[in-house]
């Protein structure tokens, strides 16, 4: 039997909802659906994601008259809608943010070389994530052993038991490292980068050129697992607490992220829950190790100008 590193069983008291409030989120300029936009409700306590067509559905029993719904996505301005003014089957349009970060390009470079970062992973253990209504971002610092700045052109993520039934996507985030407080600092993510792990073990993804800049010292990467409205609907259909416990115990309904052990506290993992800006660090494991997501990078650096 595999050793479970961390289990976050989340038990909800929700009932089956006979009535819902639906909506669809679009890009204001292109008039195209915005997939996996974040919908925050229940006084910031609950999270819902739009599906691939920009559609979402919220249970009316969880909407309070004095509440406000927030819709947000990377690269867009957040919009807010008072519950009292919401209409069913409404369309919502996100406007592009005006202050998007501009990528830092390596100029006048005639030759680049690829370096592998964090290629010696070591022991990997399981990390079982929570269920619907919880937005969880797991993040950690990764040192640049190349010693030169560059751009990530490939990213590998380890999953122990991917959710093949629901095909849950992952959103990639990146941040500065706060030297003073020794924790992740300002988020630098300026692109809505989503990947789909599909197998047990290492899942590798090509990253578009000049998207994620890897500084000469280190980078902080974050992984956000997304639960679709279809997934939430399946959970909401469960009638009893016993059914919900059984459903959560079935690993086909959960995602399992590979976590590596590190000895340096500054390389240990951090997490953020439900869109709250407070970043918390995972504690020490086995009296000598810290944990962080098992990620590997390949970066292109300039070696001749």
């Amino acid at each position: 039997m595999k050793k479970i590193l961390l289990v976050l069983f989340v038990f909800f008291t929700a009932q089956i909802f006979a009535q819902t409030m639906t909506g669809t989120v679009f890009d204001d300029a292109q008039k195209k659906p915005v997939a996996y936009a974040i919908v925050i409700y229940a006084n910031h306590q609950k999270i819902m994601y739009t599906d691939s067509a920009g559609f979402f559905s919220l249970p009316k029993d969880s909407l309070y008259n004095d509440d406000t719904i927030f819709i947000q996505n990377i690269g867009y301005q957040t919009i807010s809608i008072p519950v009292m003014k919401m209409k069913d089957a409404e369309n919502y349009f996100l406007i592009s943010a005006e202050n998007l970060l501009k990528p830092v390009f390596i100029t006048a470079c005639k030759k680049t070389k690829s370096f592998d970062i964090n290629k010696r992973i070591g022991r990997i253990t399981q990390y079982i994530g929570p269920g619907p209504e919880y937005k969880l971002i797991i993040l950690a610092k990764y040192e640049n052993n190349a010693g030169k700045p560059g751009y990530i052109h490939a990213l590998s993520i380890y999953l122990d038991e991917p959710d093949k039934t629901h095909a849950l996507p992952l959103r990639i985030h990146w941040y500065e490292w706060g030297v003073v407080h020794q924790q992740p600092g300002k988020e630098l993510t300026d692109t809505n980068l989503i990947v789909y792990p599909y197998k047990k073990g290492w899942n590798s993804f090509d990253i578009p050129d000049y998207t994620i800049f890897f500084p000469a010292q280190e980078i902080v990467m974050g992984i956000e697992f997304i639960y679709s409205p279809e997934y939430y609907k399946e959970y909401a259909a469960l009638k009893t607490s016993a059914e919900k416990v059984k459903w959560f115990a079935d690993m086909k309904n959960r995602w399992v992220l590979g976590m590596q052990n590190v000895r340096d506290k500054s390389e240990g993992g951090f997490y953020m829950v439900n869109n709250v800006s407070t970043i918390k660090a995972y504690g020490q494991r086995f009296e000598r190790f810290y944990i962080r997501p098992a990620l590997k990078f390949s970066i292109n650096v300039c070696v001749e100008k």
Side-chain angles (χ1 to χ4, degrees):
M1 180 180 295
K2 296 178 180 178
K3 185 174 183 179
I4 304 300
L5 176 63
L6 178 62
V7 181
L8 294 177
F9 282 108
V10 182
F11 303 112
F12 303 109
T13 58
Q15 304 295 320
I16 297 177
F17 302 111
Q19 294 183 327
T20 59
M21 183 71 72
T22 65
T24 307
V25 181
F26 293 91
D27 178 289
D28 183 68
Q30 301 181 9
K31 310 305 180 189
K32 293 182 179 180
V34 178
Y36 310 122
I38 302 167
V39 183
I40 307 170
Y41 65 108
N43 293 318
H44 280 83
Q45 296 302 307
K46 295 185 179 181
I47 299 288
M48 172 66 72
Y49 292 91
T50 62
D51 63 14
S52 57
F55 176 82
F56 68 89
S57 176
L58 302 177
K60 285 187 176 180
D61 287 12
S62 292
L63 300 178
Y64 311 115
N65 290 336
D66 60 347
D67 195 9
T68 299
I69 306 303
F70 297 91
I71 302 176
Q72 58 185 217
N73 202 43
I74 293 171
Y76 294 94
Q77 298 177 24
T78 298
I79 60 175
S80 59
I81 312 100
V83 168
M84 293 293 290
K85 295 183 178 181
M86 288 186 70
K87 298 179 181 179
D88 190 36
E90 186 80 358
N91 293 333
Y92 301 97
F93 295 88
L94 291 178
I95 300 174
S96 295
E98 297 178 356
N99 59 342
L100 289 180
L101 297 172
K102 302 298 182 183
V104 180
F105 292 98
I106 299 176
T107 59
C109 186
K110 297 179 180 180
K111 184 179 180 181
T112 62
K113 182 178 180 179
S114 179
F115 287 87
D116 293 328
I117 306 295
N118 199 38
K119 59 184 178 180
R120 295 183 180 180
I121 293 292
R123 181 183 178 186
I124 296 178
T125 49
Q126 293 188 82
Y127 182 104
I128 301 178
E133 297 183 316
Y134 275 72
K135 174 187 175 185
L136 177 67
I137 301 179
I138 304 176
L139 54 164
K141 181 182 75 170
Y142 299 86
E143 299 287 345
N144 184 350
N145 57 268
K148 295 182 178 181
Y151 285 89
I152 299 174
H153 68 82
L155 171 65
S156 297
I157 302 173
Y158 192 96
L159 290 192
D160 199 307
E161 298 179 24
D163 187 339
K164 296 180 179 179
T165 303
H166 300 93
L168 300 180
L170 285 73
R171 179 177 277 124
I172 308 301
H173 299 256
W174 51 99
Y175 308 77
E176 291 180 343
W177 176 250
V179 177
V180 175
H181 300 290
Q182 289 294 293
Q183 69 174 30
K186 178 183 178 182
E187 180 169 4
L188 303 176
T189 309
D190 62 357
T191 302
N192 194 26
L193 185 59
I194 294 176
V195 297
Y196 291 81
Y198 62 93
K199 65 180 180 180
K200 179 177 181 178
W202 289 105
N203 293 257
S204 296
F205 306 96
D206 292 332
I207 303 299
D209 292 340
Y210 304 113
T211 299
I212 306 179
F213 179 68
F214 204 122
Q217 291 76 33
E218 70 277 309
I219 194 172
V220 178
M221 297 297 295
I223 300 176
E224 172 191 349
F225 281 77
I226 298 173
Y227 289 99
S228 67
E230 294 85 358
Y231 183 95
Y232 178 81
K233 185 183 298 183
E234 183 177 333
Y235 171 81
L238 303 176
K239 298 180 179 179
T240 66
S241 296
E243 287 179 329
K244 293 174 183 177
V245 171
K246 183 178 179 180
W247 190 81
F248 270 109
D250 187 344
M251 290 311 302
K252 76 177 181 65
N253 297 320
R254 310 291 292 280
W255 56 260
V256 184
L257 176 66
M259 300 286 277
Q260 70 176 119
N261 296 329
V262 292
R263 294 182 181 276
D264 189 340
K265 181 179 180 180
S266 70
E267 294 181 344
F270 297 80
Y271 64 95
M272 290 185 290
V273 178
N274 268 19
N275 219 49
V276 175
S277 58
T278 302
I279 298 176
K280 298 183 179 181
Y282 287 112
Q284 195 169 14
R285 307 292 171 181
F286 315 119
E287 298 182 355
R288 56 185 179 182
F289 291 114
Y290 297 87
I291 61 171
R292 70 177 181 185
L295 305 180
K296 295 190 293 187
F297 312 86
S298 291
I299 69 171
N300 285 330
V301 303
C302 185
V303 293
E304 180 182 338
K305 293 186 178 181

